[in-house]
């Protein structure tokens, strides 16, 4: 499973800088693509504690603590921009990935578009909720570009930082947790536990945002009858697990995530009859090496599509693809990061627009001249 490829995995020898790569590391701050919707975007962090279950990765932790980033429509464009990662989080992530020679603060320079702690805007119970999960060892920040875009189109996005599964998550009391689970991922059965644990995180976050005593001041905006789950890599597999486990989730998206759990399938042979989209690079295709994902896709019994993006790499579907291009780093993709970002945003939103908002999306059913890189490979 590929990890943090896009932002300079030079020490691991996974990617190669082009001639300008070294200079680019010290150049302008990294920048996301602008959101495409009409709404300004706000972002805030929310601390949640699930006392009903222990932490799955740290013995003795009797509760599961989570930090969640919420992206949502707001009525203002004034205010400080939300932070991508703090300098310390950036340093710990880069150290954890063993990225020697990379400026430790580089991911604290990212320019975002969301206004920090802006007041949520919208009619009561009008906005669909999307639970979003990152790849294994990645912070939720790496999906900021996708989350900001969804929020600009009128979605509330709850991005989950899965505690002890990445190298730096900061809690309100100043604690910074590391990747305790990283010492446990030495066989495939680990990932089956990971997917189910993350699915439980997703359900708990939905509880806390839509229950009788919601934990976020903007929860009144959420339409609890329209909920989706999405994620990249391990987060995508976890989104499918959440779709199976939680009937409140109306549609799910797996973005380039193998579902190889080393054990039972993520989608049981008894099926799951709610809409699902699998969006992948050419490395993950139904007739390819990823037989686990192909089997889980076959077990989906509702509306479904498997869509492939030519020229994309695993990291291209995250902010890291854009950052790689800005830094002059070759991650093996032939389609530019900005282009894959635009495709990912459009197809993710299309799935949720069609199945949460009931707005027909022809591009989910046929080839589009606007996106010649995209093909529907299974349905």
């Amino acid at each position: 499973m590929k990890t943090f490829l896009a932002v300079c995995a030079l020490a691991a020898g996974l990617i190669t800088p082009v001639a300008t790569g070294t200079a680019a590391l010290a150049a302008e701050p990294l920048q996301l693509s602008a959101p495409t919707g009409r709404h300004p975007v706000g972002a805030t962090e929310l601390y949640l504690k699930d006392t009903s279950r222990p932490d799955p990765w740290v013995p003795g932790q009797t509760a599961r603590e989570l930090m969640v980033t919420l992206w949502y429509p707001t009525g203002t464009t004034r205010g400080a921009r939300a932070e991508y990662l703090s300098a310390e989080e950036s340093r710990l992530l880069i150290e954890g990935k063993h990225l020697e020679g990379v400026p430790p603060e580089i991911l604290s320079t990212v320019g975002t578009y969301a206004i920090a702690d802006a007041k949520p805007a919208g009619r009561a119970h009008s906005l669909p909720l999307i639970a979003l999960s990152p790849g294994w060892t990645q912070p939720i920040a790496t999906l900021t570009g996708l989350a900001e875009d969804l929020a600009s189109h009128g979605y509330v996005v709850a991005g989950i930082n899965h505690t002890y599964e990445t190298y730096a998550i900061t809690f309100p009391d100043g604690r910074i947790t590391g990747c305790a689970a990283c010492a446990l991922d030495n066989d495939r059965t680990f990932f089956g536990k990971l997917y189910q644990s993350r699915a439980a995180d997703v359900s708990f976050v939905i509880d806390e945002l839509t229950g009788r005593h919601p934990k976020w001041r903007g929860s009144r905006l959420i339409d609890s009858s329209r909920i989706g789950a999405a994620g990249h890599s391990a987060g995508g597999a976890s989104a499918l697990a959440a779709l199976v486990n939680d009937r409140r989730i109306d549609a799910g998206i797996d973005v380039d995530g193998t579902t190889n759990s080393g054990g039972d399938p993520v989608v049981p042979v008894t099926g799951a009859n709610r809409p699902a989209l699998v969006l992948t690079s050419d490395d993950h295709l139904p007739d390819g090496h990823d037989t686990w994902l192909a089997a889980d896709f076959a077990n989906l019994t509702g509306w479904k599509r498997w869509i492939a993006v030519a020229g994309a790499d695993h990291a291209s579907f995250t902010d890291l693809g854009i950052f790689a291009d800005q830094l002059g780093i070759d991650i093996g993709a032939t389609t530019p990061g900005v282009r894959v970002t635009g495709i990912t945003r459009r197809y993710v939103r299309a799935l949720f627009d069609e199945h949460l908002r009931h707005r027909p999306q022809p591009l989910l059913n046929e080839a589009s001249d606007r996106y010649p890189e995209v093909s529907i490979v299974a349905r």
Side-chain angles (χ1 to χ4, degrees), residues 1-2 136 184-196 232-241 254-267 278 280 283-284 288-297 299 306 314:
M1 183 176 293
K2 297 179 181 179
W136 167 232
L184 307 173
D185 67 343
N186 53 3
D187 65 73
R188 290 307 314 181
T189 59
F190 165 84
F191 286 97
K193 179 178 179 180
L194 180 81
Y195 304 153
Q196 296 303 322
H232 173 255
S233 194
S238 303
L240 292 183
D254 176 356
V255 180
D256 212 44
T258 180
T259 57
N260 186 351
S261 66
D264 294 331
V266 170
V267 182
V278 173
T280 70
D283 289 338
H284 295 280
H289 68 275
D290 197 342
T291 56
W292 285 86
L293 182 56
D296 281 311
F297 184 81
N299 288 343
W306 190 320
H314 188 61

Side-chain angles (χ1 to χ4, degrees), residues 14-189:
L14 295 175
I15 54 178
T16 304
V18 297
T20 58
T22 302
L25 290 177
E28 295 296 320
L30 301 172
Q31 184 63 53
L32 300 171
S33 294
T36 61
R38 64 185 181 88
H39 299 286
V41 177
T44 193
E45 289 192 311
L46 186 66
Y47 166 72
L48 299 174
K49 185 174 183 179
D50 185 357
T51 58
S52 70
R53 59 189 171 120
D55 190 275
W57 312 121
V58 178
Q61 289 272 38
T62 59
R64 178 69 164 160
E65 295 179 281
L66 296 172
M67 291 301 300
V68 175
T69 301
L70 291 161
W71 289 271
Y72 49 87
T74 182
T76 184
T77 58
R78 301 180 64 179
R81 299 291 177 92
E83 190 174 55
Y84 193 84
L85 290 176
S86 71
E88 181 67 359
E89 289 166 341
S90 177
R91 181 185 70 80
L92 290 170
L93 182 62
I94 287 170
E95 285 184 359
K97 298 287 186 178
H98 305 292
L99 306 181
E100 297 176 6
V102 177
E105 75 290 345
I106 194 167
L107 294 175
S108 67
T109 73
V110 177
T112 69
Y113 289 88
I115 305 301
D117 298 319
K119 182 179 179 181
R123 292 182 294 105
H125 312 300
S126 67
L127 305 182
L129 171 65
I130 308 300
L132 191 62
S133 184
W136 167 232
T137 76
Q138 310 291 25
I140 192 60
T142 55
L143 297 178
T144 296
L146 175 60
E148 288 184 337
D149 194 66
L150 283 168
S152 77
H153 286 276
Y155 288 87
V156 173
V157 181
I160 304 171
N161 262 322
H162 300 281
T163 313
Y164 300 117
E165 299 173 25
T166 186
Y167 295 96
I169 298 175
T170 304
F171 285 86
D173 61 5
R175 285 175 299 139
I176 300 179
T177 58
C179 192
C182 287
L184 307 173
D185 67 343
N186 53 3
D187 65 73
R188 290 307 314 181
T189 59

